[in-house]
Amino acid sequence: MAATKASKEQKYDRQLRLWGDHGQETLENAHVCLINATATGTEILKNLVLPGIGAFTIVDGHTVSGEDKRNVFALTLALMLQNRAQAATELLQELNSDVSGNFVEESPDKLLDNDPEFFHRFTIVIGVQLPESTCLRLGSVLWSASVPFLVCKTYGLIGYMRLAVQEHTVIESHPDNALEDLRLDQPFGEFKNHIQSYDLDSMDKKDHSHTPWIIIVAKYLEKWLSEHNGQPPKNYKDKEAFRQLIREGILKNENGVPEDEENFEEAIKNVNTALNPTKVPSAVEDLFNSEQCKNITSQTPDFWVMLRAVKEFVHNEGNGSLPVRGTIPDMIADSQKFINLQNPPESISEKDIKLFCKNASFLRVVRCRSLTEEYSVDSVNKDEITSCMDSPDSEMVFYLMLRAVDRFYQQHSRYPGVYNYQVEEDISKLKLCVNGLLQEYSLNVNIKDDYIHEFCRYGAAEPHTVAAFLGGSAAQEAIKIISHQFVPFSNTFIYNAMSQTSATLQL
Amino acid sequence: MDGKYNFTILKSTQFFINTTCLNPIFLSSSREKKRRRIEDLTEKMAVDGGHRDSGCDWDGRWNHVRKFLERPGPFTHPDFEPSTESLQFLLETCKILVIGAGGLGCELLKNLALSGFRLIHVVDMDTIDVSNLNRQFLFRPKDVGRPKAEVAADFINSRIPGCKVVPHFKKIQDFDESFYRQFHIIVCGLDSIIARRWMNGMLISLLSYEDGVLDPSSIIPLIDGGTEGFKGNARVILPGMTACIDCTLELYPPQINFPMCTIASMPRLPEHCIEYARILQWPKEKPFGDTSLDGDNPEHIQWVFDRAQERAAEFNITGVTYRLTQGVVKRIIPAVASTNAVIAAACATEVFKIATSAYIPLNNYLVFNDVDGLYTYTFEAERKENCSACSQVPQDLQFPPSAKLQEVLEYLTENASLQMKSPAITTTLEGKNKTLYLQSVKSIEERTRPNLCKTLKELGLSDGQELAVADVTTPQTVLFKLNFTA
């Protein structure tokens, strides 16, 4: 047992450095459902099996076609007669023996007819190359059951993803540019005392050169405040003067030449970020003002309970500031008190609270609209669509084309241009679908004929490199949903392999 | 329904003009010439018996590829002409070199093989490690210890009928121009900037100029991919025409090296404590005798970890773990399957576009980051006018005659556009070749070391003197012209 754990640590080492052991645990407890083991579907799942999700279930009623056989898991001729779900399951299992794979040889529509609650057991459902009707039916079931739904489609050189999740909270968003929590404009008690213990003027050369730059900035800030009526440096001119003030503090040798003091150089370099005013980020303020934070009940998820405790802290002990990222002894005592009122103490541990406070500046909540809302004539996001379409290069046109192609499928039970002889004649049929779509939703936009021709030309092809791009993208979004680390996209992502560009749209 | 469709050129006109002549194969006479040359080369580089088994192409196998090769479309490359021959070119003639069989390499091989490419070579000097298995999916636990290139080739060849991947368990520097010249396109999945620059330099050295005009058929496109955690980039380089690796050296983030004063006296992060143990304590205490610190030796890491913890305790710093220690000592870059999948996919798409002229290729740099949602940014990296690798402009060195050779050496290593690692400087004095300084061979280093303290004048160098500089970052010597300043 110990051997297995150690070898897992080794195997997953490179990814543990990104999401930690606790993140890995969430993956290993997850059960992912993939609908349709096409090239895109198997690529997505491969990128989830490799990092070690607990289990997957493939739902697919198709048999293996000539096109499918080109899949990476290059099915041998013997597998030709097998259903796609089983074939893919066996081959994906091979990639990681820690993962358990299952398959259901059934179309999702049948399952929705006979046993919709089948889907309730999953951590996330990923639907690939789904026709519109199936997608909406499934979307509705999953929305009511609060199961995250990730819709993916590779269509020619276009990749498409849609995330449908009601509310997804993120404590560990791991922002790229997290500025240090220095609070020099509001030094808290312990730090203030610490600064006092340094007296730059009376230090010997060695200590002077080794005083941490933060202390130097703090000291000179004190000096500045006393000379400027308590007003910190605000504009560029002030900050330059402040930098000069620090520069003058560099020791000089007997000839009056400034010594080489790296710590002073660091201090000067960091003046801008060091002087960032301490305040609660507006995103966090918004969260404080949201309904969930205001109305805490016994059903409220831990995230909001902790957020409420932080809000109380900010308005009381914190004097308008979030708990200090480093140490938060007072915070624990008070939040525990508050939390004890609402929940049995075991549900939120001290560790949880510490983690929450450490990340308080970076909390994120992602909310997506349901598919029903997106597709309904009453609530379609016309503004987003028309404003994007004002730019000639916008990827929004591909979204509209995918919607038109779905219509085509509904009307003709096939996709346009699959066979060579169909390409020309389907152009006018697809154009009718495009116009029908724009009319139904009262969208006053223009789609060039070139796009209609191109989508007929695609013939519903699923080129491998586009499927692979989407495979990587979708898998990581699924990992974000499962682990609650890093921030998922919201709510539509379009990838254009022709120009190697992409866009995230709110639909 | 009208038969005319507006051709929308998605890229800048300038690039369009430049690439018209670059179409790799069939149709015009220059292309036909190149096609015949390629066929000649294919014959000369006899690969594995050469017989292509077209019987392994079952019905429908290449449908998804055919649609892009046999049908006209409004967004295709201006040179594109639908043809059934294009698929044959991919399957039977087009030769691709994949550099690296790791995170990106495995994905690249799979993507290329499934897109119809069959003549693929792969070079990788590494063997498989357990920590590779979370993403390098062509490998299994039983393969640990075996050469990556060989296991990857075996996997693809046995699973994808018709595909013939040839592995090379070697360094890229083990090959010369005659090897690289045989490929139509080279795609890199490397983890080292030095290796990238070397490859870049190699392809630049293959360029031929006739009367100062670049011969397009001597250009081998280089597709380069890189990943780190959740970030990645993919770029298309047409050596001699578009920005090369060295043109954009400043784009690479500098390696994180903490200031010594922070490490020595005022640590704040657990990393500072680890570096203290690694850089200061290890050389002083020599815990395992005269051996240097080996990141793969658990005892060494444990030692560093223990010392780092002691230091951390002294300064009330939390967060020193064994894992972090290993990461800092080995400079480990975190990695996941998903980022590698995305970047390799983008690269393979470009290989396909260039090989088939199906669409205008990426012009020329794609950046990807999925930490917060999914972010991509596509831009055209510009060539540097005086790039030391691709500009053919003689490089200038401005120094007073009283400057010491040491200063020249420092300039070559520290200048942001040059970033050489251990340059070897030679020149011609009195008609004879003279090595001024060379680091990589111990005896020569000892012999030439005194030159570092001599001035350029003392060394007999004159104004306008040409210095030839060799370095690991380039397969070719770089020529510098010495200009004496006052």
Side-chain angles (χ1 to χ4, degrees), chain B residues 227-269:
Chain B
T227 62
E228 192 172 313
F230 296 121
K231 299 183 186 151
N233 58 71
R235 60 192 299 186
V236 173
I237 295 172
L238 304 173
M241 284 178 67
T242 63
C244 78
I245 301 278
D246 281 53
C247 289
T248 56
L249 216 47
E250 293 95 39
L251 281 180
Y252 290 102
Q255 222 185 20
I256 298 185
N257 283 317
F258 306 107
M260 267 319 283
C261 62
T262 307
I263 296 173
S265 353
M266 24 187 198
R268 282 181 357 260
L269 300 172

Side-chain angles (χ1 to χ4, degrees), chain A residues 330-350:
Chain A
D330 23 2
M331 175 59 191
I332 296 172
D334 285 302
S335 61
Q336 278 293 93
K337 250 191 275 168
F338 177 80
I339 287 159
N340 276 334
L341 294 172
Q342 309 293 338
N343 271 322
E346 299 89 58
S347 87
I348 299 181
S349 66
E350 188 173 311

Side-chain angles (χ1 to χ4, degrees), chain A residues 402-444:
Chain A
L402 289 172
R403 291 288 303 268
V405 154
D406 272 342
R407 285 197 164 214
F408 189 104
Y409 185 82
Q410 267 176 335
Q411 288 170 25
H412 304 275
S413 300
R414 64 176 178 84
Y415 286 105
V418 174
Y419 295 103
N420 284 347
Y421 74 87
Q422 293 172 327
V423 180
E424 287 282 310
E425 46 182 73
D426 281 349
I427 290 173
S428 50
K429 294 194 181 103
L430 184 57
K431 187 158 186 175
L432 285 174
C433 294
V434 169
N435 292 337
L437 175 79
L438 297 179
Q439 240 175 21
E440 185 180 325
Y441 290 94
S442 310
L443 293 168
N444 195 4

Side-chain angles (χ1 to χ4, degrees), chain B residues 325-393:
Chain B
T325 305
Q326 209 181 24
V328 171
V329 171
K330 288 176 74 171
R331 295 274 194 260
I332 290 179
I333 297 174
V336 278
S338 57
T339 322
N340 283 304
V342 167
I343 295 299
C347 289
T349 295
E350 294 309 309
V351 174
F352 183 82
K353 284 181 191 171
I354 291 175
T356 61
S357 272
Y359 289 87
I360 298 177
L362 167 67
N363 181 22
N364 53 44
Y365 205 114
L366 165 72
V367 168
F368 174 86
N369 182 343
D370 64 355
V371 168
D372 185 344
L374 298 120
Y375 169 78
T376 66
Y377 177 56
T378 309
F379 68 100
E380 182 178 346
E382 286 178 359
R383 279 189 87 180
K384 199 190 279 180
E385 264 177 39
N386 59 345
C387 174
S388 58
C390 76
S391 72
Q392 294 201 297
V393 166

Side-chain angles (χ1 to χ4, degrees), chain A residues 200 208-209 211 213 216 220 245-251 261-269:
Chain A
L200 288 169
H208 197 262
S209 308
T211 302
W213 67 261
I216 294 171
Y220 281 90
L245 187 65
I246 298 177
R247 191 170 287 285
E248 277 155 25
I250 297 178
L251 289 179
E261 299 204 273
E262 219 176 288
N263 54 345
F264 272 76
E265 296 299 336
E266 278 288 299
I268 292 165
K269 202 168 85 177

Side-chain angles (χ1 to χ4, degrees), chain A residues 256-297:
Chain A
V257 176
E259 300 273 23
D260 193 9
E261 299 204 273
E262 219 176 288
N263 54 345
F264 272 76
E265 296 299 336
E266 278 288 299
I268 292 165
K269 202 168 85 177
N270 286 301
V271 158
N272 257 336
T273 46
L275 293 179
N276 262 334
T278 306
K279 61 173 199 267
V280 179
S282 57
V284 181
E285 281 285 3
D286 289 341
L287 291 180
F288 284 165
N289 295 328
S290 62
E291 281 309 305
Q292 294 91 325
C293 186
K294 288 185 181 160
N295 305 323
I296 304 284
T297 69

Side-chain angles (χ1 to χ4, degrees), chain B residues 11 20 54 120 122 126 185 234 256 260 281 356 377 380 407:
Chain B
K11 291 291 157 253
T20 323
S54 57
I120 306 173
V122 60
D126 267 338
I185 301 170
I256 298 185
M260 267 319 283
Q281 287 178 301
T356 61
Y377 177 56
E380 182 178 346
E407 290 171 51

